[in-house]
Protein backbone atom coordinates (compact mmCIF):
# COMPACT_ATOMS: atom_id res chain seq x y z
CA UNK A 1 0.00 0.00 0.00
CA UNK A 2 3.06 2.27 -0.03
CA UNK A 3 3.07 2.60 3.76
CA UNK A 4 6.52 3.23 5.32
CA UNK A 5 7.12 0.38 7.76
CA UNK A 6 10.81 0.85 8.64
CA UNK A 7 13.19 3.81 8.37
CA UNK A 8 16.50 5.30 9.49
CA UNK A 9 18.83 8.13 8.47
CA UNK A 10 22.52 9.08 8.36
CA UNK A 11 23.91 12.34 9.77
CA UNK A 12 27.44 13.04 8.52
CA UNK A 13 29.81 15.04 10.69
CA UNK A 14 33.47 15.47 11.65
CA UNK A 15 34.89 14.35 14.98
CA UNK A 16 38.43 14.63 16.31
CA UNK A 17 40.68 12.15 18.09
CA UNK A 18 43.13 14.11 20.27
CA UNK A 19 42.81 16.90 17.71
CA UNK A 20 43.04 14.78 14.54
CA UNK A 21 39.85 15.16 12.43
CA UNK A 22 38.06 12.23 10.78
CA UNK A 23 34.67 11.62 9.20
CA UNK A 24 31.81 10.10 11.18
CA UNK A 25 28.43 8.85 10.02
CA UNK A 26 25.71 8.90 12.66
CA UNK A 27 22.80 6.53 11.97
CA UNK A 28 19.77 7.61 13.96
CA UNK A 29 15.99 7.50 14.26
CA UNK A 30 15.94 3.75 13.67
CA UNK A 31 12.40 2.39 13.82
CA UNK A 32 10.17 -0.37 12.47
CA UNK A 33 6.41 -0.76 12.68
CA UNK A 34 5.61 -3.49 15.26
CA UNK A 35 3.89 -5.64 12.64
CA UNK A 36 7.05 -5.73 10.50
CA UNK A 37 9.74 -6.40 13.08
CA UNK A 38 12.07 -9.43 13.09
CA UNK A 39 12.19 -9.54 9.29
CA UNK A 40 15.72 -8.14 8.88
CA UNK A 41 14.56 -4.72 7.66
CA UNK A 42 16.90 -2.78 9.98
CA UNK A 43 19.83 -5.03 9.03
CA UNK A 44 19.21 -4.36 5.34
CA UNK A 45 19.05 -0.62 5.96
CA UNK A 46 22.29 -0.70 7.94
CA UNK A 47 23.97 -2.27 4.92
CA UNK A 48 22.83 0.72 2.85
CA UNK A 49 23.72 3.29 5.53
CA UNK A 50 27.18 1.78 6.00
CA UNK A 51 27.74 1.88 2.22
CA UNK A 52 26.70 5.55 2.14
CA UNK A 53 29.06 6.34 5.01
CA UNK A 54 31.93 4.51 3.32
CA UNK A 55 31.28 6.39 0.05
CA UNK A 56 31.49 9.67 1.98
CA UNK A 57 34.92 8.70 3.30
CA UNK A 58 33.76 8.35 6.90
CA UNK A 59 35.93 6.09 9.04
CA UNK A 60 33.60 5.64 12.00
CA UNK A 61 29.88 5.16 12.59
CA UNK A 62 28.39 6.17 15.94
CA UNK A 63 24.90 5.65 17.31
CA UNK A 64 23.04 5.97 20.60
CA UNK A 65 20.42 3.37 21.42
CA UNK A 66 18.95 0.61 23.51
CA UNK A 67 21.19 -1.98 25.24
CA UNK A 68 22.72 -4.73 23.08
CA UNK A 69 20.68 -4.09 19.91
CA UNK A 70 23.36 -2.46 17.73
CA UNK A 71 26.00 -5.02 18.57
CA UNK A 72 24.20 -7.16 15.96
CA UNK A 73 25.38 -4.77 13.26
CA UNK A 74 29.05 -4.51 14.17
CA UNK A 75 28.95 -1.88 16.93
CA UNK A 76 30.72 -1.86 20.29
CA UNK A 77 29.85 0.28 23.33
CA UNK A 78 33.12 2.16 23.53
CA UNK A 79 32.76 5.72 24.86
CA UNK A 80 30.72 7.36 27.60
CA UNK A 81 27.27 8.78 26.82
CA UNK A 82 25.35 11.17 29.02
CA UNK A 83 25.64 10.70 32.73
CA UNK A 84 24.96 13.71 34.88
CA UNK A 85 25.22 15.33 38.28
CA UNK A 86 22.20 17.13 39.61
CA UNK A 87 20.63 19.08 42.41
CA UNK A 88 17.33 20.40 43.72
CA UNK A 89 15.85 23.62 45.09
CA UNK A 90 17.67 23.06 48.37
CA UNK A 91 20.99 23.09 46.48
CA UNK A 92 20.52 26.50 44.85
CA UNK A 93 22.92 29.29 45.79
CA UNK A 94 21.35 31.91 48.01
CA UNK A 95 21.11 35.57 47.07
CA UNK A 96 23.74 36.33 49.70
CA UNK A 97 26.22 34.13 47.79
CA UNK A 98 25.79 36.10 44.56
CA UNK A 99 27.40 39.50 44.13
CA UNK A 100 24.87 41.75 42.36
CA UNK A 101 25.90 42.42 38.78
CA UNK A 102 29.11 40.37 38.90
CA UNK A 103 27.91 38.08 36.09
CA UNK A 104 24.83 37.87 33.94
CA UNK A 105 23.58 35.38 31.35
CA UNK A 106 21.70 36.37 28.22
CA UNK A 107 20.53 34.66 25.00
CA UNK A 108 23.27 34.26 22.39
CA UNK A 109 23.01 36.08 19.06
CA UNK A 110 24.72 35.50 15.73
CA UNK A 111 27.40 38.03 16.75
CA UNK A 112 28.34 35.79 19.70
CA UNK A 113 29.02 32.64 17.70
CA UNK A 114 32.75 33.31 17.24
CA UNK A 115 33.12 33.45 21.02
CA UNK A 116 31.00 30.33 21.42
CA UNK A 117 33.15 28.44 18.89
CA UNK A 118 36.36 29.58 20.59
CA UNK A 119 35.17 28.54 24.05
CA UNK A 120 33.81 25.23 22.78
CA UNK A 121 37.18 24.46 21.19
CA UNK A 122 38.79 24.62 24.63
CA UNK A 123 36.69 21.65 25.73
CA UNK A 124 37.48 19.78 22.51
CA UNK A 125 41.20 20.30 23.10
CA UNK A 126 40.90 18.70 26.54
CA UNK A 127 38.94 15.67 25.26
CA UNK A 128 39.95 12.53 23.42
CA UNK A 129 36.90 12.46 21.15
CA UNK A 130 35.07 15.65 20.29
CA UNK A 131 32.68 16.88 17.60
CA UNK A 132 33.94 19.53 15.22
CA UNK A 133 31.56 22.38 14.40
CA UNK A 134 31.86 24.78 11.47
CA UNK A 135 30.28 28.24 11.24
CA UNK A 136 27.15 27.00 9.47
CA UNK A 137 26.56 24.33 12.11
CA UNK A 138 26.80 26.89 14.94
CA UNK A 139 24.22 29.02 13.13
CA UNK A 140 22.03 25.93 12.84
CA UNK A 141 22.37 25.34 16.58
CA UNK A 142 21.46 28.94 17.30
CA UNK A 143 18.43 29.40 15.07
CA UNK A 144 18.04 26.62 12.50
CA UNK A 145 15.97 24.13 14.46
CA UNK A 146 12.21 24.27 14.91
CA UNK A 147 10.66 25.12 18.27
CA UNK A 148 9.67 21.48 18.86
CA UNK A 149 12.95 19.94 17.61
CA UNK A 150 13.71 17.33 20.25
CA UNK A 151 17.46 18.04 20.07
CA UNK A 152 17.21 21.83 20.08
CA UNK A 153 19.66 23.54 22.45
CA UNK A 154 19.47 27.09 23.74
CA UNK A 155 22.76 28.98 23.78
CA UNK A 156 23.43 31.54 26.52
CA UNK A 157 26.31 34.01 26.88
CA UNK A 158 27.98 34.71 30.24
CA UNK A 159 29.13 38.31 30.68
CA UNK A 160 31.13 39.88 33.50
CA UNK A 161 30.41 43.22 35.15
CA UNK A 162 32.02 45.17 32.30
CA UNK A 163 29.94 43.36 29.68
CA UNK A 164 32.77 41.21 28.34
CA UNK A 165 31.94 37.67 27.24
CA UNK A 166 33.63 35.20 29.58
CA UNK A 167 31.73 32.00 28.83
CA UNK A 168 28.67 30.31 27.38
CA UNK A 169 26.14 27.64 28.27
CA UNK A 170 23.67 25.49 26.35
CA UNK A 171 20.62 23.76 27.80
CA UNK A 172 17.72 21.72 26.51
CA UNK A 173 14.48 23.75 26.39
CA UNK A 174 12.52 20.61 27.28
CA UNK A 175 12.28 19.11 30.76
CA UNK A 176 13.11 15.44 31.16
CA UNK A 177 11.22 13.83 34.06
CA UNK A 178 10.93 17.24 35.70
CA UNK A 179 14.64 17.99 35.23
CA UNK A 180 16.39 20.68 33.17
CA UNK A 181 19.66 19.63 31.53
CA UNK A 182 22.74 21.80 31.10
CA UNK A 183 24.51 20.35 28.02
CA UNK A 184 27.47 22.72 27.61
CA UNK A 185 29.26 25.16 29.91
CA UNK A 186 32.61 26.74 29.16
CA UNK A 187 34.60 29.65 30.57
CA UNK A 188 37.57 31.64 29.34
CA UNK A 189 40.92 30.49 30.65
CA UNK A 190 41.67 31.86 34.13
CA UNK A 191 38.00 32.60 34.84
CA UNK A 192 36.99 31.41 38.34
CA UNK A 193 34.70 28.41 37.97
CA UNK A 194 33.87 28.52 41.68
CA UNK A 195 32.68 32.11 41.36
CA UNK A 196 30.76 31.89 38.06
CA UNK A 197 29.00 28.53 38.50
CA UNK A 198 26.43 29.72 41.10
CA UNK A 199 25.18 32.27 38.55
CA UNK A 200 24.90 29.52 35.94
CA UNK A 201 22.87 27.37 38.34
CA UNK A 202 20.52 30.24 39.14
CA UNK A 203 20.02 30.99 35.43
CA UNK A 204 19.39 27.33 34.69
CA UNK A 205 16.84 27.09 37.50
CA UNK A 206 15.00 30.15 36.20
CA UNK A 207 14.92 28.63 32.71
CA UNK A 208 13.44 25.43 34.15
CA UNK A 209 10.81 27.43 36.02
CA UNK A 210 9.86 29.29 32.83
CA UNK A 211 9.63 26.08 30.79
CA UNK A 212 7.45 24.41 33.42
CA UNK A 213 5.06 27.38 33.47
CA UNK A 214 4.87 27.52 29.68
CA UNK A 215 4.39 23.77 29.18
CA UNK A 216 2.32 23.16 32.33
CA UNK A 217 4.66 20.39 33.47
CA UNK A 218 6.39 19.56 36.74
CA UNK A 219 9.84 20.97 37.45
CA UNK A 220 11.89 19.70 40.39
CA UNK A 221 15.63 19.54 39.64
CA UNK A 222 18.57 20.63 37.50
CA UNK A 223 21.51 18.67 36.17
CA UNK A 224 24.90 19.21 34.56
CA UNK A 225 25.26 16.74 31.67
CA UNK A 226 28.83 17.64 30.71
CA UNK A 227 30.60 14.32 30.16
CA UNK A 228 32.44 12.20 32.68
CA UNK A 229 34.88 14.95 33.69
CA UNK A 230 34.33 18.71 33.80
CA UNK A 231 35.60 21.62 35.95
CA UNK A 232 32.02 22.53 36.86
CA UNK A 233 31.62 19.23 38.70
CA UNK A 234 34.41 20.31 41.04
CA UNK A 235 33.23 23.91 41.30
CA UNK A 236 29.68 22.84 42.23
CA UNK A 237 30.38 19.57 44.01
CA UNK A 238 28.31 20.47 47.08
CA UNK A 239 25.36 21.49 44.87
CA UNK A 240 25.24 18.31 42.76
CA UNK A 241 24.42 15.50 45.21
CA UNK A 242 22.67 13.27 42.67
CA UNK A 243 25.21 11.45 40.49
CA UNK A 244 23.95 9.38 37.57
CA UNK A 245 26.50 7.12 35.86
CA UNK A 246 26.93 7.50 32.09
CA UNK A 247 25.59 5.07 29.50
CA UNK A 248 27.67 4.45 26.33
CA UNK A 249 27.85 5.31 22.66
CA UNK A 250 27.94 2.46 20.15
CA UNK A 251 30.90 2.80 17.76
CA UNK A 252 31.66 0.88 14.56
CA UNK A 253 35.16 0.99 13.09
CA UNK A 254 35.19 -1.10 9.90
CA UNK A 255 38.85 -0.48 8.97
CA UNK A 256 40.99 -0.44 12.11
CA UNK A 257 44.40 -0.26 10.35
CA UNK A 258 43.28 2.76 8.29
CA UNK A 259 42.05 4.58 11.39
CA UNK A 260 45.30 3.92 13.27
CA UNK A 261 47.16 5.31 10.27
CA UNK A 262 44.98 8.42 10.50
CA UNK A 263 45.82 8.98 14.18
CA UNK A 264 49.49 8.03 13.81
CA UNK A 265 50.64 11.56 14.83
CA UNK A 266 48.83 11.13 18.16
CA UNK A 267 50.42 7.73 18.82
CA UNK A 268 53.87 9.04 17.91
CA UNK A 269 53.43 12.05 20.18
CA UNK A 270 52.45 9.79 23.07
CA UNK A 271 55.50 7.60 22.48
CA UNK A 272 57.83 10.59 22.29
CA UNK A 273 56.71 11.78 25.71
CA UNK A 274 57.21 8.38 27.35
CA UNK A 275 60.01 5.93 28.24
CA UNK A 276 59.22 4.24 24.90
CA UNK A 277 60.43 7.24 22.87
CA UNK A 278 62.29 6.09 19.75
CA UNK A 279 60.55 2.68 19.82
CA UNK A 280 61.77 0.25 17.15
CA UNK A 281 59.83 -2.99 16.65
CA UNK A 282 56.32 -4.28 16.30
CA UNK A 283 53.28 -4.85 18.50
CA UNK A 284 50.88 -7.67 17.65
CA UNK A 285 47.29 -7.71 18.92
CA UNK A 286 45.31 -10.96 18.76
CA UNK A 287 41.54 -10.65 18.24
CA UNK A 288 41.24 -14.48 18.14
CA UNK A 289 39.69 -14.66 14.66
CA UNK A 290 41.81 -11.80 13.33
CA UNK A 291 44.60 -9.53 14.51
CA UNK A 292 46.52 -6.30 14.09
CA UNK A 293 50.23 -5.59 13.69
CA UNK A 294 51.74 -2.17 14.45
CA UNK A 295 55.27 -1.57 13.14
CA UNK A 296 57.35 1.23 14.66
CA UNK A 297 60.68 2.58 13.44
CA UNK A 298 62.50 5.05 15.69
CA UNK A 299 59.26 6.10 17.32
CA UNK A 300 57.30 6.49 14.06
CA UNK A 301 54.37 4.29 13.07
CA UNK A 302 55.49 2.83 9.77
CA UNK A 303 52.65 0.34 9.30
CA UNK A 304 49.31 -0.67 10.76
CA UNK A 305 48.14 -3.85 9.09
CA UNK A 306 45.88 -6.83 9.46
CA UNK A 307 47.61 -9.85 10.98
CA UNK A 308 46.35 -13.41 11.18
CA UNK A 309 47.47 -15.21 14.38
CA UNK A 310 48.14 -18.90 13.90
CA UNK A 311 47.13 -19.76 17.48
CA UNK A 312 45.06 -18.28 20.30
CA UNK A 313 48.14 -17.56 22.41
CA UNK A 314 50.12 -15.64 19.78
CA UNK A 315 50.64 -11.89 20.05
CA UNK A 316 51.47 -9.36 22.73
CA UNK A 317 47.86 -8.94 23.89
CA UNK A 318 44.51 -10.55 23.15
CA UNK A 319 41.11 -8.85 22.94
CA UNK A 320 37.88 -10.81 22.43
CA UNK A 321 35.32 -9.49 19.98
CA UNK A 322 35.64 -5.74 19.54
CA UNK A 323 36.75 -4.93 23.09
CA UNK A 324 39.96 -3.34 21.79
CA UNK A 325 37.81 -0.37 20.74
CA UNK A 326 37.21 0.37 24.43
CA UNK A 327 40.97 0.78 24.88
CA UNK A 328 41.47 2.69 21.63
CA UNK A 329 38.83 5.28 22.52
CA UNK A 330 39.99 5.82 26.09
CA UNK A 331 36.88 4.24 27.61
CA UNK A 332 38.55 1.48 29.65
CA UNK A 333 42.07 0.71 30.83
CA UNK A 334 43.87 -2.51 30.04
CA UNK A 335 43.40 -3.65 33.65
CA UNK A 336 39.67 -2.91 33.55
CA UNK A 337 39.27 -4.94 30.37
CA UNK A 338 41.23 -7.87 31.82
CA UNK A 339 39.01 -7.79 34.91
CA UNK A 340 35.78 -7.72 32.87
CA UNK A 341 36.85 -10.21 30.19
CA UNK A 342 38.89 -13.26 31.30
CA UNK A 343 39.92 -13.86 27.68
CA UNK A 344 41.46 -10.41 27.47
CA UNK A 345 45.10 -11.30 28.04
CA UNK A 346 48.41 -9.51 27.72
CA UNK A 347 52.12 -10.32 27.88
CA UNK A 348 55.34 -8.49 28.63
CA UNK A 349 55.29 -6.07 25.67
CA UNK A 350 51.75 -4.97 26.48
CA UNK A 351 53.22 -2.26 28.74
CA UNK A 352 53.21 -0.19 25.53
CA UNK A 353 49.42 -0.23 25.31
CA UNK A 354 48.68 2.24 28.15
CA UNK A 355 51.24 4.60 26.58
CA UNK A 356 49.65 4.37 23.14
CA UNK A 357 46.06 4.25 24.37
CA UNK A 358 45.70 5.93 27.78
CA UNK A 359 42.40 6.29 29.61
CA UNK A 360 40.95 9.68 28.65
CA UNK A 361 37.48 11.17 28.76
CA UNK A 362 35.57 12.41 25.72
CA UNK A 363 33.08 15.24 25.37
CA UNK A 364 30.59 14.64 22.56
CA UNK A 365 28.20 17.48 21.69
CA UNK A 366 26.74 15.66 18.69
CA UNK A 367 25.28 17.23 15.57
CA UNK A 368 21.63 16.15 15.55
Amino acid sequence: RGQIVSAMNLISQVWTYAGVPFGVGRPELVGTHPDYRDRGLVRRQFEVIHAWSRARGEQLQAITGIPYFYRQFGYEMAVGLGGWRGGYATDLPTSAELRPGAYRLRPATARDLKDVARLYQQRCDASLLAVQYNEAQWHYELSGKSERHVNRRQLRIIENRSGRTVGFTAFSPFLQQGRIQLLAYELDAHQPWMEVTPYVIRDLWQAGTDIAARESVEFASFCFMLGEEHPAYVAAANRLPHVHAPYAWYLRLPDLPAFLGCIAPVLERRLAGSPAGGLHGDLRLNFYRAGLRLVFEHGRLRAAEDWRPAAWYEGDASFPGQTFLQLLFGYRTLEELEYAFPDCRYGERAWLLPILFPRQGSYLFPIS
Side-chain angles (χ1 to χ4, degrees), residues 34-112:
D35 294 345
Y36 290 83
R37 291 175 183 167
D38 297 321
R39 300 190 186 186
L41 301 182
V42 168
R43 183 176 298 278
R44 178 71 188 100
Q45 289 175 94
F46 262 114
E47 292 171 1
V48 175
I49 288 284
H50 290 161
W52 287 354
S53 194
R54 182 173 61 251
R56 296 176 186 182
E58 294 162 354
Q59 292 187 282
L60 183 77
Q61 289 80 47
I63 189 170
T64 60
I66 59 177
Y68 172 74
F69 187 73
Y70 296 103
R71 292 183 185 275
Q72 303 174 89
F73 313 112
Y75 290 77
E76 173 74 10
M77 299 180 108
V79 70
L81 167 65
W84 49 266
R85 305 186 188 195
Y88 306 87
T90 53
D91 300 303
L92 294 176
T94 65
S95 299
E97 297 175 82
L98 305 178
R99 291 185 292 123
Y103 299 96
R104 77 180 189 102
L105 285 86
R106 60 167 176 82
T109 68
R111 291 193 302 271
D112 297 310

Side-chain angles (χ1 to χ4, degrees), residues 15-343:
W15 291 11
T16 56
Y17 182 100
V20 175
F22 61 96
V24 173
R26 187 180 177 197
E28 277 298 343
L29 297 174
V30 181
T32 300
H33 188 287
D35 294 345
Y36 290 83
R37 291 175 183 167
D38 297 321
R39 300 190 186 186
L41 301 182
V42 168
R43 183 176 298 278
R44 178 71 188 100
Q45 289 175 94
F46 262 114
E47 292 171 1
V48 175
I49 288 284
H50 290 161
W52 287 354
S53 194
R54 182 173 61 251
R56 296 176 186 182
E58 294 162 354
Q59 292 187 282
L60 183 77
Q61 289 80 47
I63 189 170
T64 60
I66 59 177
Y68 172 74
F69 187 73
Y70 296 103
R71 292 183 185 275
Q72 303 174 89
F73 313 112
Y75 290 77
E76 173 74 10
M77 299 180 108
V79 70
L81 167 65
W84 49 266
R85 305 186 188 195
Y88 306 87
T90 53
D91 300 303
L92 294 176
T94 65
S95 299
E97 297 175 82
L98 305 178
R99 291 185 292 123
Y103 299 96
R104 77 180 189 102
L105 285 86
R106 60 167 176 82
T109 68
R111 291 193 302 271
D112 297 310
L113 292 182
K114 286 187 177 179
D115 281 328
V116 170
R118 172 181 56 81
L119 292 161
Y120 171 77
Q121 187 60 45
Q122 291 180 180
R123 183 60 41 208
C124 295
D125 293 343
S127 303
L128 180 58
L129 290 179
V131 184
Q132 198 173 79
Y133 275 69
N134 59 34
E135 184 179 355
Q137 286 161 338
W138 279 121
H139 278 277
Y140 178 61
E141 282 299 319
L142 178 69
S143 57
K145 298 178 180 179
S146 69
E147 286 293 309
R148 305 309 298 176
H149 192 303
V150 68
N151 287 319
R152 186 162 65 89
R153 296 172 280 213
Q154 291 196 296
L155 302 179
R156 305 274 286 169
I157 295 299
I158 307 171
E159 293 180 339
N160 65 10
R161 189 183 299 277
S162 63
R164 185 173 71 85
T165 295
V166 297
F168 89 98
T169 66
F171 64 84
S172 170
F174 306 101
L175 301 183
Q176 301 291 330
Q177 299 177 323
R179 183 173 58 249
I180 188 167
Q181 300 172 332
L182 185 70
L183 305 173
Y185 170 26
E186 297 305 326
L187 291 178
D188 264 329
H190 310 302
Q191 286 297 316
W193 288 90
M194 302 288 286
E195 184 176 314
V196 178
T197 302
Y199 295 84
V200 170
I201 293 174
R202 271 291 178 183
D203 185 75
L204 187 64
W205 187 266
Q206 184 61 54
T209 301
D210 294 343
I211 294 167
R214 184 176 66 246
E215 303 287 342
S216 299
V217 295
E218 180 185 359
F219 171 52
S221 64
F222 66 93
C223 76
F224 286 13
M225 189 178 287
L226 304 172
E228 293 183 68
E229 304 163 358
H230 195 279
Y233 294 154
V234 178
N238 62 334
R239 304 189 191 281
L240 303 171
H242 189 170
V243 178
H244 190 275
Y247 186 52
W249 280 83
Y250 286 98
L251 303 182
R252 175 180 180 266
L253 189 60
D255 191 338
L256 178 58
F259 183 78
L260 290 170
C262 174
I263 64 167
V266 178
L267 305 183
E268 292 167 1
R269 186 167 66 244
R270 289 169 175 170
L271 281 175
S274 79
L279 176 68
H280 192 85
D282 66 356
L283 184 68
R284 296 177 302 160
L285 306 182
N286 188 332
F287 304 144
Y288 291 102
R289 297 184 65 84
L292 174 76
R293 180 171 175 257
L294 302 177
V295 181
F296 294 92
E297 293 181 5
H298 307 296
R300 306 294 298 274
L301 180 63
R302 293 305 182 192
E305 57 196 19
D306 291 322
W307 167 67
R308 182 77 177 183
W312 64 267
Y313 51 81
E314 285 195 339
D316 301 300
S318 300
F319 298 89
Q322 300 193 73
T323 54
F324 175 68
L325 297 188
Q326 298 186 36
L327 188 73
L328 172 62
F329 293 112
Y331 185 53
R332 296 287 184 258
T333 66
L334 195 60
E335 291 76 16
E336 288 170 337
L337 286 173
E338 185 187 36
Y339 175 80
F341 301 93
D343 48 354

